[in-house]
Amino acid sequence: MTLISGDKRITFSLAGALSELDRLNEMLKMVGERWNLSEKAVLHMNLALDELFTNVVSYGIDHQAHQEVSFSLDHCGDEIIIVVADSGKPFDPTHAPEPELDLPIDDQPVGGLGIFLMRQYTDNIEYRRENEKNIVTLTKKI
Amino acid sequence: MDIDKTEEQGVIILSPNGRLDSNSAPILEQEIGLINASDNGHHLLLDFSKVEYISSAGLRVVLKTVKERQTASKSFAVSNMQDHVREVFEISGFDSYVTIHPDTLKAIESFKV
């Protein structure tokens, strides 16, 4: 994990392993303290980034190649803009199907809620594929 | 993730401690699997009092448990959710699948009905 930190921009990267979720939590707590964000805003960002990172690590990246996932957070007025990049297989979370939350329990698939929660806890999500990388930009109003 | 396991009035109470995410959820899933496999008529209560965070991976374990317990005609409930965890439950519509009790006593009482 590396960390570069300025007044308005904080960047770090995590190894492609789910055990890194604890570090994600630590990093976001630090971001929250530095930018004086509410506990709720930090929790919401944590959940959104957790779900994206879990998807990327579970399905996207090449574990043999020890690929990392990079995070860049910018504090712009009343918004935090977060750019998450990885070199894994193309994956566009903005085109993932919506779960059907009102299904009876027997028809409810186990799983598939991660991207839904990511959408719920952010205000905008954009995806682009650039230089063999997935680049997801999330906006969180604070 | 540490998981405390106690038994009270015929109810097995599982109390996971910490963050329930994709890294830790398999530990809880395994523990519940062991209880389901060896259970002899106990009720199962998942006590969330020490869970400060839940992601979809944690929700998945809860849904799987609800389904497995229903199929086997075994009872299951959850209790003591912190606000944020409860919010994630409700946003995902999970409060319609499983009863969320405010505290352990009420959960134990509900099994007796």
Side-chain angles (χ1 to χ4, degrees), chain A residues 26-42:
Chain A
E26 286 167 21
M27 295 307 301
L28 292 174
K29 276 190 177 155
M30 187 274 290
V31 168
E33 281 168 22
R34 189 159 303 184
W35 288 345
N36 201 20
L37 306 177
S38 70
E39 201 177 327
K40 199 167 195 171
V42 173

Side-chain angles (χ1 to χ4, degrees), chain A residues 54-74:
Chain A
T54 294
N55 259 282
V56 167
V57 169
S58 302
Y59 309 113
I61 64 170
D62 181 352
H63 293 272
Q64 302 297 327
H66 301 289
Q67 290 176 342
E68 291 193 325
V69 181
S70 71
F71 297 80
S72 171
L73 290 83
D74 280 270

Side-chain angles (χ1 to χ4, degrees), chain A residues 18-19 21 25 40 43-44 46-47 50-51 54 101 103 105-106 108-110 113-114 116-117 120-121, chain B residues 19 21-23 52-57 59-60 63-64 66-67 70 84 87-88 91-94 97:
Chain A
L18 295 179
S19 55
L21 283 170
N25 173 33
K40 199 167 195 171
L43 261 169
H44 290 185
N46 195 338
L47 188 56
D50 168 337
E51 299 294 356
T54 294
L101 299 179
L103 286 177
I105 185 161
D106 288 341
Q108 188 62 253
V110 176
L113 277 168
F116 167 78
L117 288 176
Q120 287 294 311
Y121 284 105
Chain B
R19 300 171 66 81
D21 57 24
S22 55
N23 190 42
E52 63 194 64
Y53 174 93
I54 190 168
S55 75
S56 66
L59 292 177
R60 188 187 147 276
L63 182 60
K64 185 167 175 251
V66 171
K67 285 188 174 193
Q70 275 188 0
H84 173 67
E87 183 188 281
V88 174
I91 280 179
S92 308
F94 272 49
Y97 301 138

Side-chain angles (χ1 to χ4, degrees), chain A:
Chain A
M1 185 180 67
T2 52
L3 170 69
I4 301 165
S5 160
D7 275 356
K8 296 291 178 190
R9 171 171 289 183
I10 293 173
T11 66
F12 59 93
S13 54
L14 301 176
L18 295 179
S19 55
E20 290 279 89
L21 283 170
D22 288 339
R23 283 181 197 274
L24 176 63
N25 173 33
E26 286 167 21
M27 295 307 301
L28 292 174
K29 276 190 177 155
M30 187 274 290
V31 168
E33 281 168 22
R34 189 159 303 184
W35 288 345
N36 201 20
L37 306 177
S38 70
E39 201 177 327
K40 199 167 195 171
V42 173
L43 261 169
H44 290 185
M45 289 197 301
N46 195 338
L47 188 56
L49 294 178
D50 168 337
E51 299 294 356
L52 180 59
F53 181 75
T54 294
N55 259 282
V56 167
V57 169
S58 302
Y59 309 113
I61 64 170
D62 181 352
H63 293 272
Q64 302 297 327
H66 301 289
Q67 290 176 342
E68 291 193 325
V69 181
S70 71
F71 297 80
S72 171
L73 290 83
D74 280 270
H75 190 188
C76 309
D78 63 348
E79 289 180 343
I80 308 281
I81 296 167
I82 309 162
V83 179
V84 183
D86 70 88
S87 309
K89 284 181 286 193
F91 171 66
D92 180 355
T94 63
H95 279 82
E98 289 275 351
E100 294 180 65
L101 299 179
D102 52 354
L103 286 177
I105 185 161
D106 288 341
D107 302 327
Q108 188 62 253
V110 176
L113 277 168
I115 300 300
F116 167 78
L117 288 176
M118 184 179 86
R119 285 180 182 144
Q120 287 294 311
Y121 284 105
T122 52
D123 294 285
N124 190 47
I125 304 172
E126 285 170 21
Y127 170 83
R128 64 182 198 275
R129 182 84 181 168
E130 199 174 280
N131 299 327
E132 305 290 306
K133 285 188 173 188
N134 295 309
I135 299 168
V136 180
T137 304
L138 304 106
T139 306
K140 176 72 185 168
K141 290 195 194 303
I142 51 169

